[in-house]
Amino acid sequence: MTLLTVTLAVVGSLGLSGPAAADSAIEERPCPVPVPDGTTCGFLLAPERRDVFGSATVKVAYAVHRGDGELPDPVVFTSGGPGSASAPLLSTLVDLAPGRDVVVIEQRGGRYSEPRLECPEIASGIVAGLKGSRAEEVTVAAATCRARLTADLRGYRTREIAADVVDLRRSLGYAQWNLFGVSYSTRAMLLAATMDPEGTRSVVLDSFLPESTPWYDQAVPSLRASIAKLGVADRFDAMIARLNRVPAVLDVRDPVTRAKVEVHLRGDDVATMIGEALQVSDVVPIVPALVDGVAGGDYTLLEPLADQAADALTSHEWGQYYAVQCQDEAPSNTFEDRRLITVAADAAVCGQWRLSSSTPEQATTAAPVLVLGGQYDPTTPPEAARTAVQALPNARFAEFAGIGHGVFLGSLCARQTVTAFLADPQAAAPCDAAAPPHRNVRPGELHLTTLGYTALGAPWVLAPLGLFLLTAVLQLLGGTLTVRRGGGYTALAGLSGLAFGGLAALSLSGMAGGVAALAIGVPTAVVWYSGLAVASAALSIVAAFRLRAPAISIVPAAVGIVFVAWLYGWAL
């Protein structure tokens, strides 16, 4: 046994090991997802537990996109979660950091690392719990997964994830780099900067989650604060009360098996889904109208929300998520309020797994730090980040209007701000963070219908519309050519039908909330324009039954009648 090995063993036994003491190496591997040209992928080989001599080796996935060499300091990014994948965001990051190498590192236990700590049972258990006993279903699923996992979960926590980042810099041979974290990974990246001051040029923290924050205990008040900012707090309360009296019954797909599952959504369940939806900045503008509609009893509007929530359950590796949460997050909370699904599920899993807790490490850095916050973010509220920034000696905070969680993903201005900061940490912001990317949709501004959402999955439902517009084109052309032989009514019918289509398209193109608003409704002007469709159908009937009308005229009349019935009987 060499002197170095003995020294590492002693340091490890004292619990003082860190990145400097780690014996890490790298190996190449094929990239697991499509990546930009000029990208290579590999594994960082690291101890599963740096505090245990002779610990097993884990493989932490990473990818490196080589820039043009113009700027020497790369950007290294890891995603949030815990347990979210980083590699799919590489193209966005390359555009954000021109001239630099861009490195993405997965979290140990994540989707592309080995071992992969996946727990599909928990995702299915959460969905199944929406019909029966929520805590019981999740607890059984957690026990099943825990019995299957063979990894030492004590090695999957924030300190080890941060140490992986530091080890990767040294293994790749970079003298310095810029650390970029989002949501949960802001903790890991700030801790990495603390561990590795000489290797840290700057730090970007998007949706910052300060250590020791009682995240679960603050979940309900944080969500209510975001809803209040949107101006629908009273309707939100009315929605919850209504659903608690009469739950919504929906069919959703199990995120793992894809089988249809009937779920019963109470008010607190829907509140959880809305909180999760506020993490997607494109969805934020439609939340006021959505809340108002559901509070009024239109439960069909919950279908897009439920489908989105089910799909989100496959975005994390739940074994890795709970290994971190149960050790580093749960101990700071009391879990007294378990109304939200996320809080109740995490309390159940952590109670079942019984992992030892750890004291959050105080992380700080003298490097320049840019902290981004989203105005409507209920997960990492901007108010908490603004306060936490005061403890960082060289940090500044920017709040972006109209944005939820994961600011750089939803705001062009945020991406421009990060790019400018990387070029010069003292540079002024290049854009106005107070200008929201979308105007919020006010209650009553949309005619609520799930036509647009249904059409995304089944475009054929728009067949009556397509047939009606095609018929209108033929009527306008044919009627114009035969106007002297009584084709005037036909031409007017075609003109009215096309006017409806054109005005509706114009209204849709300028609707508040952007494309996402189509998931729950159409502009109310479309309802008024539908009168032109009725007029077109009426004129077609007149043309079909006028004296000496050709037999073919009955076809446009039938198309018009069918379309009007479809429009008012289902679409609107």
Side-chain angles (χ1 to χ4, degrees), residues 232 235-236 239 287-298 301 443-444 448:
V232 288
R235 296 298 285 166
F236 185 74
M239 178 196 73
V287 169
L290 173 66
V291 168
D292 183 65
V294 177
D298 189 350
L301 301 177
L448 301 176

Side-chain angles (χ1 to χ4, degrees), residues 7 19 71 76 78-79 110 133 165 200 210 251 259 318 351 355 390 393 403 433 464 470 502 526 528 564:
T7 302
L71 299 169
V76 58
T78 189
S79 195
S133 173
V165 174
T200 302
D251 286 332
W318 291 106
L355 294 173
Q390 298 173 7
I403 299 296
L470 175 62
V526 172
W528 294 104
V564 169

Side-chain angles (χ1 to χ4, degrees), residues 170 189 493 498 500:
R170 292 171 177 162
M189 287 305 200
L498 291 177
F500 162 72

Side-chain angles (χ1 to χ4, degrees), residues 197-217:
E198 71 279 2
T200 302
R201 175 180 177 265
S202 71
V203 184
V204 178
L205 305 176
D206 183 337
S207 306
F208 182 34
L209 185 65
E211 68 272 359
S212 300
T213 300
W215 183 77
Y216 294 110
D217 290 350

